[in-house]
Amino acid sequence: MLFRGPFFAITKQNHLLMNKKLAALYALIAVAIVSFTHTLNHYGWLEVPALVLMILRWLAIATIVWFAIRRKSLTTWILVSMIVGAEVGHDWPAVAVNFQVLSKIFLQMIKTIIAPLLFGTLVVGIAGHSDIRQVGRMGWKSLLYFEIVTTFALVIGLAAINISQAGAGIDESLRKNAMHEHIEEPKQQTWQDIVLHVFPENIAKSIYHGDILPIVIFSVFFGISLLMVKEKFRGPMLAFCESLSEVMFKFTNLVMYYAPIGVGAAIAFTVGHGGLSVLGSLLHLLATLYVALIVFILVVFVPVALIIRLPIRRFIREISEPVSIAFATTSSESALPKAMEAMERMGVPRKVIAFVMPTGYSFNLDGSTLYLALASVFVSQAAGHPLTWEQQILMVFTLMLTSKGVAGVPRATLVIILGTVHSFGLPTWPVFLILGIDELMDMARTSVNVIGNCLATAVIARWEKEVDFSKLPPETKA
């Protein structure tokens, strides 16, 4: 029998590392060749048949898939599936539009996780630590932080669209095309309706509709009530909730094995349904949003992370998986379970995550807030009805109030904008223009929503002195 000691283990590890690097190198070379060939063909410097270009793209994708096999990372597989999905949607759009059912399966499975996961983690977080005062402190601190950050998002969104003037000089042909689009008219909400929506009328109804905030309120009251009963009653229920939360995290891991298929199908449907030509004359608006979101991350998120001494590189690595899921599915809700796991690996206690993150899904939609500010002014510019700064601020604050609780609904912000611009007496046809590229915009704003809520949990945990980011446990695989 051969002796296999530490040297053999180190050699094997180095061999695997070399394989990964080699796979990455091949993938990079293949992508470079394809990019170079497409560039030459695009500018007419080299005539390449469409079939040859397609074969080259698929060969490049094959090398990327090989890299993913060697990498053995779910995050890598999700990113690769997005590339494969985009290529399938581009090459075979008639087939790709039928893939939506695969992405919906993923979204529906994620939605089954949300309610029991939130209930279990919140009840354990409150009743398991016997500190009602901390819940109150986290409540007002969270709301204060959410208000400050979303105000910054609002200001940056308004500044971006007023500088770029993306809505000015919209092509008349786009207006005619917009008239053929259809969005279901939203139900007008009063402030009383918004307040009432926070509180659960029927917990089963809230779970069925996926209303996160009423589930959070119910769970908080349930946890406080559990604190007030005798130990012989509290113990079994607390043990059940703790078991429930642990089981739901394992349930999440099982569902996530399907994530590459669901994410790839979502991208394939998006590209197959709208095509790459949906950009057209609206590229200016799309670029304005992406630049504004990048500025927001650099000007707001990065300084906040530095203030709380968050290790930014590790934070990026940990949240890359939930952010990529949110980007592809355009639903923050789909990324919630994995985002909670990621922040737990960052050392944030589960009781803080379970309270702050779902609350942020209603009050801390930074990307959506910035988008609402930008899109509402775009409508007025495209319609030729410029608004004063006072009118712009009033409209955006109205949008902020009516947008609470839309994190789980892809493109719900479009419906909200439609109702708001109608109430302000503006024509609605520019809203239908946005419909053509809204999925591409939704990807970016949803990703920022997830980043913002992950950062918010870190901020509140640091504020509560529940975590010291200089003493994090070793990094583990997602």
Side-chain angles (χ1 to χ4, degrees), residues 87-385:
E87 184 61 29
V88 170
H90 176 67
D91 292 340
W92 302 289
V95 176
V97 293
N98 297 311
F99 288 175
Q100 189 180 28
V101 65
L102 298 177
S103 63
K104 284 187 174 181
I105 289 172
F106 176 65
L107 287 174
Q108 288 185 191
M109 288 299 292
I110 287 291
K111 286 179 180 179
T112 63
I113 298 168
I114 303 298
L117 180 62
L118 291 182
F119 176 77
T121 50
L122 272 171
V123 171
V124 171
I126 295 169
H129 297 83
S130 306
D131 191 354
I132 300 177
R133 286 181 298 178
Q134 186 182 33
V135 177
R137 285 199 311 271
M138 286 195 299
W140 73 258
K141 285 177 180 179
S142 298
L143 291 175
L144 177 62
Y145 173 78
F146 296 161
E147 183 61 35
I148 292 171
V149 175
T150 51
T151 301
F152 274 109
L154 178 70
V155 171
I156 291 173
L158 286 177
I161 192 65
N162 279 284
I163 291 170
S164 74
Q165 293 290 314
I170 285 292
D171 192 349
E172 187 66 23
S173 63
L174 288 177
R175 174 175 177 170
K176 291 175 183 177
N177 292 335
M179 297 301 187
H180 299 293
E181 300 286 356
H182 173 71
I183 301 176
E184 186 179 344
E185 285 290 335
K187 180 183 175 183
Q188 294 295 322
Q189 284 190 315
T190 63
W191 69 268
Q192 293 98 328
D193 294 327
I194 296 168
V195 172
L196 281 174
H197 181 71
V198 172
F199 298 93
E201 172 190 7
N202 182 321
I203 188 60
K205 180 182 176 183
S206 298
I207 292 171
Y208 174 75
H209 289 293
D211 295 330
I212 291 178
L213 202 53
I215 295 171
V216 171
I217 297 296
F218 175 85
S219 302
V220 168
F221 274 86
F222 192 95
I224 293 172
S225 303
L226 195 57
L227 268 177
M228 300 170 73
V229 300
K230 294 179 180 178
E231 177 58 33
K232 64 177 182 179
F233 300 118
R234 182 167 68 246
M237 180 56 73
L238 197 57
F240 166 76
C241 291
E242 195 165 3
S243 298
L244 178 65
S245 60
E246 289 296 331
V247 169
M248 292 316 297
F249 275 117
K250 296 300 181 185
F251 189 103
T252 301
N253 291 338
L254 288 176
V255 173
M256 291 313 296
Y257 285 122
Y258 181 75
I261 298 173
V263 166
I267 294 292
F269 171 78
T270 301
V271 176
H273 179 70
L276 300 176
S277 60
V278 294
L279 298 176
S281 301
L282 297 172
L283 184 62
H284 194 184
L285 173 63
L286 188 70
T288 302
L289 176 69
Y290 275 75
V291 170
L293 289 173
I294 291 169
V295 169
F296 176 72
I297 290 171
L298 295 176
V299 171
V300 180
F301 284 172
V302 172
V304 168
L306 292 174
I307 289 169
I308 65 172
R309 297 179 182 179
L310 184 72
I312 295 176
R313 288 184 181 179
R314 177 163 176 181
F315 178 69
I316 292 170
R317 287 195 297 270
E318 294 288 5
I319 68 169
S320 60
E321 187 178 318
V323 170
S324 61
I325 291 169
F327 181 85
T329 61
T330 65
S331 172
S332 304
E333 192 177 71
S334 65
L336 178 58
K338 274 297 178 183
M340 293 175 75
E341 284 187 16
M343 293 315 297
E344 200 168 345
R345 290 194 299 271
M346 287 294 298
V348 179
R350 189 174 290 181
K351 61 179 179 178
V352 177
I353 298 169
F355 181 84
V356 177
M357 195 169 287
T359 307
Y361 269 45
S362 283
F363 295 103
N364 189 40
L365 300 175
D366 303 321
S368 294
T369 300
L370 190 151
Y371 165 79
L372 289 171
L374 189 145
S376 58
V377 178
F378 169 83
V379 170
S380 69
Q381 290 175 353
H385 298 287

Side-chain angles (χ1 to χ4, degrees), residues 410-457:
R411 287 169 300 286
T413 46
L414 205 63
V415 178
I416 293 164
I417 291 171
L418 186 66
T420 306
V421 298
H422 180 73
S423 65
F424 273 77
L426 291 170
T428 56
W429 66 264
V431 181
F432 297 104
L433 284 180
I434 301 173
L435 184 62
I437 59 165
D438 187 64
E439 185 129 7
L440 296 171
M441 301 177 82
D442 207 356
M443 289 173 172
R445 64 179 183 254
T446 304
S447 300
V448 173
N449 288 343
V450 173
I451 296 170
N453 281 312
C454 288
L455 182 61
T457 60

